């Protein structure tokens, strides 16, 4: 038996014996699992093998909060963000990119319930001029400004820009995009302003999302264990349900309740394959349980 195999056997035994729990290393493992890309499970309960990192600075984009180490994703997601950056640079802008996923996906200790299989990315509405690159300190400290005046149920006219609408539409028209989450007030404003609302089908309302939009790609063909979401009706979503959601958002802002930190997502129901993803060695090192 080789020395390397002798070192691996206890680790592989541990992978079989332990469930892949959030506290067992998803947020502390430093490197992705090398090999062919595989998005495994659902967007809110899964993991990814073969993820790659988005460079922190690229043409037309810059990653924010890099200390979180959440700039990993399926190669299709990395290619998609890179293309968004090129498009932004052509408009003279630089996108600020929020969280993608952890090196091997899985549940995060805070911030998200999804972003687990390398197919989600947050993009700030706030942009920078294409020629401006933020310092590392700025990427960690700059606030993400809200684009709505929630108490009035409207967009903030001093912050919202037609550029943000253009960025949303460009993303929504991309065939690999499954859906985009925005604040209900933002979606409602787009419903009122657009003459052709067909592209709004992919733009879905969700709580928060007033300072960034959340892009989710469809399951890639190479990921047979990826579980797609149920498709929504083939309409623009500018309906009574949206109006009610926007009204509830406004009422919540008018009568705020004490904020409670949500419980981190459970890892108890992760696919069995995720234990192997978490505990298997990578080319760069080992995941630490």
């Amino acid at each position: 038996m080789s020395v390397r195999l002798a070192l691996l056997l206890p680790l592989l035994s541990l992978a079989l014996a332990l469930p892949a729990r959030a506290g067992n290393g998803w947020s502390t493992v430093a490197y992705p699992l090398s090999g062919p890309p595989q998005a495994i499970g659902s967007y809110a309960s899964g993991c990814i093998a073969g993820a790659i990192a988005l460079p922190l600075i690229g043409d037309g984009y810059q990653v924010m909060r890099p200390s979180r180490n959440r700039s990993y994703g399926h190669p299709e997601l990395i290619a998609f963000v890179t293309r968004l950056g090129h498009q932004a640079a052509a408009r003279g802008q630089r996108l600020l990119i929020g969280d993608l996923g952890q090196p091997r996906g899985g549940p995060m200790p805070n911030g998200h319930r999804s972003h687990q299989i390398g197919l989600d990315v947050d993009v700030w509405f706030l942009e920078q001029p294409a020629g401006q690159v933020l310092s590392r300190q700025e990427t960690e400290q700059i606030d993400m400004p809200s684009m709505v005046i929630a108490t009035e149920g409207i967009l903030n006219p001093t912050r919202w820009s037609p550029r943000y609408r253009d960025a949303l539409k460009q993303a929504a028209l991309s065939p690999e995009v499954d859906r985009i989450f925005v604040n209900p007030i933002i979606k409602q404003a787009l419903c009122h302003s657009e003459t052709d609302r067909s592209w709004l089908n992919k733009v879905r309302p969700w709580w928060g999302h007033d300072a960034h939009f959340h892009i989710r790609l469809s399951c890639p063909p190479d990921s047979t264990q990826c579980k797609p979401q149920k498709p929504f009706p083939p309409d623009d979503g500018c309906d009574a349900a949206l109006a009610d959601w926007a009204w509830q958002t406004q009422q919540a802002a008018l009568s705020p309740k004490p904020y409670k930190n949500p419980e981190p997502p459970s890892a108890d129901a992760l696919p069995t394959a995720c234990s192997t993803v978490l505990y298997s060695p990578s080319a760069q090192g080992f995941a630490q349980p």
Side-chain angles (χ1 to χ4, degrees):
M1 180 184 296
S2 69
V3 174
R4 178 173 175 79
L5 182 57
L7 291 173
L8 292 182
L9 283 177
L11 188 61
L12 295 177
S13 297
L14 183 63
L16 296 174
L18 291 177
R21 295 180 180 274
N24 283 344
W26 290 107
S27 62
T28 58
V29 62
Y31 302 105
L33 178 63
S34 58
Q38 283 286 325
I40 301 168
S42 66
Y43 296 93
S45 183
C47 59
I48 181 171
I52 60 176
L54 178 71
L56 297 183
I57 300 175
D59 182 38
Y61 77 84
Q62 183 167 8
V63 173
M64 304 299 285
R65 312 295 191 258
S67 63
R68 293 180 176 179
N69 199 32
R70 297 177 179 178
S71 57
Y72 293 83
H74 189 284
E76 285 199 11
L77 180 66
I78 303 306
F80 173 78
V81 175
T82 301
R83 188 166 68 253
L84 282 185
H86 292 326
Q87 294 167 346
R91 302 193 304 268
Q93 299 297 314
R94 183 180 298 277
L95 299 177
L96 302 181
I97 305 299
D99 289 345
L100 284 75
Q102 299 173 140
R104 302 189 189 194
M108 299 180 185
N110 55 63
H112 307 281
R113 300 200 71 82
S114 59
H115 289 252
Q116 294 196 30
I117 58 174
L119 297 173
D120 295 279
V121 58
D122 289 340
V123 180
W124 290 27
F125 283 113
L126 180 68
E127 299 174 345
Q128 297 291 312
Q132 181 175 337
V133 176
L134 300 174
S135 69
R136 178 62 179 261
Q137 183 177 9
E138 288 173 323
T139 64
E140 299 289 353
Q141 295 181 351
I142 287 178
D143 288 333
M144 187 166 49
S146 173
M147 296 294 142
V148 306
I149 303 176
T151 55
E152 299 180 28
I154 62 172
L155 295 178
N156 187 329
T158 66
R159 291 179 178 172
W160 182 259
S161 167
R163 296 196 311 272
Y164 308 152
R165 172 264 184 199
D166 294 344
L168 279 170
K169 183 174 182 179
Q170 202 160 43
L173 293 177
S174 300
E176 63 267 57
V177 170
D178 180 67
R179 61 197 69 197
I180 302 172
F181 299 105
V182 300
N183 187 273
I185 293 172
I186 294 176
K187 165 85 179 200
Q188 187 176 61
L190 292 170
C191 287
H192 292 161
S193 65
E194 294 298 299
T195 53
D196 176 11
R197 302 195 304 205
S198 59
W199 65 274
L200 292 178
N201 172 258
K202 290 185 180 180
V203 180
R204 314 307 295 183
W206 198 252
W207 305 114
H209 296 80
D210 55 319
H212 73 277
F213 54 103
H214 173 172
I215 301 172
R216 174 168 293 166
L217 301 192
S218 302
C219 288
D222 63 21
S223 296
T224 57
Q225 297 184 67
C226 180
K227 295 182 179 179
Q229 283 190 274
K230 181 181 178 180
F232 29 75
D235 56 28
D236 56 28
C238 300
D239 52 18
L242 173 64
D244 182 65
W245 208 336
W247 179 83
Q248 290 186 46
T249 301
Q250 182 180 3
Q251 295 307 303
L254 289 169
S255 302
K257 297 179 180 179
Y259 179 76
K260 294 182 179 180
N261 287 320
E263 291 292 325
S266 171
D268 291 342
L270 289 180
T272 303
C274 287
S275 287
T276 303
V277 171
L278 178 59
Y279 295 113
S280 293
S282 70
Q284 295 89 350
F286 294 91
Q288 298 298 321

